[in-house]
Amino acid sequence: MNENDATSQENSELVEVVQQDIADPTIEVGSGCEWKSIGSEPQWDNPKSMKAYDHIERHHGPKKKPNELQGRVSSTQDDQGQWFKAEYWVEAEKFTPKYPGRYIIDFKRPIGRVYHPDGNITQDVTRAVVVRNADGTLKSAYPVTDSTVFK
């Protein structure tokens, strides 16, 4: 086991699924599962994989400038999460249950920040929403505050 695998294994023991809304519990999808969708399997370990993580990097990635996230908050009037590191959404994919659906997971360590419509920013949040498509790729994944729940 290399150092990255050991760190990932340690982190997985700390990650907790706080809330879940499984769309189909009969289909296992995502990294480590057989790829049954169109084309080649996504590069699950690559945070820049367009197939697996495109929306996440474009809208919630660590390279987004504060004014871009604040602009999105203004236009949507919804909180907007930003990951501290791209590797964290790869971890989120690995640690999220392997069924299509919506999940809130808690990393038990800071993973990002959340911009709010009132102009405030919550730093060092530990939770993320992860939305898994039917093929296992992530529709979205972004940091959220502890008070976030599915409606």
Side-chain angles (χ1 to χ4, degrees), residues 96-132:
T96 298
K98 302 299 183 187
Y99 305 103
R102 304 182 302 165
Y103 304 88
I104 297 175
I105 59 173
D106 193 334
F107 283 80
K108 309 286 188 191
R109 62 183 162 83
I111 57 156
R113 64 182 64 87
V114 177
Y115 292 81
H116 304 282
D118 65 6
N120 286 320
I121 302 169
T122 303
Q123 295 285 351
D124 298 329
V125 298
T126 63
R127 293 183 177 188
V129 164
V130 179
V131 181
R132 189 182 292 282

Side-chain angles (χ1 to χ4, degrees), residues 11 14 26-27 36-37 52 59 65 69 72 77 88 97 117 123 133 136 142 147-148 150:
N11 289 339
L14 299 177
T26 65
I27 303 171
K36 298 177 183 177
S37 195
H59 295 287
K65 293 179 175 42
L69 286 150
R72 189 152 189 225
Q77 287 302 299
Y88 292 166
Q123 295 285 351
N133 290 317
Y142 49 89
S147 62
T148 300
F150 294 138

Side-chain angles (χ1 to χ4, degrees), residues 21-52:
D21 178 17
I22 298 173
D24 187 345
T26 65
I27 303 171
E28 288 193 354
V29 292
S31 63
C33 298
E34 182 183 350
W35 178 249
K36 298 177 183 177
S37 195
I38 298 169
S40 61
E41 181 174 6
Q43 297 175 345
W44 299 110
D45 290 331
N46 180 356
K48 295 182 185 291
S49 170
M50 297 285 286
K51 192 168 197 170

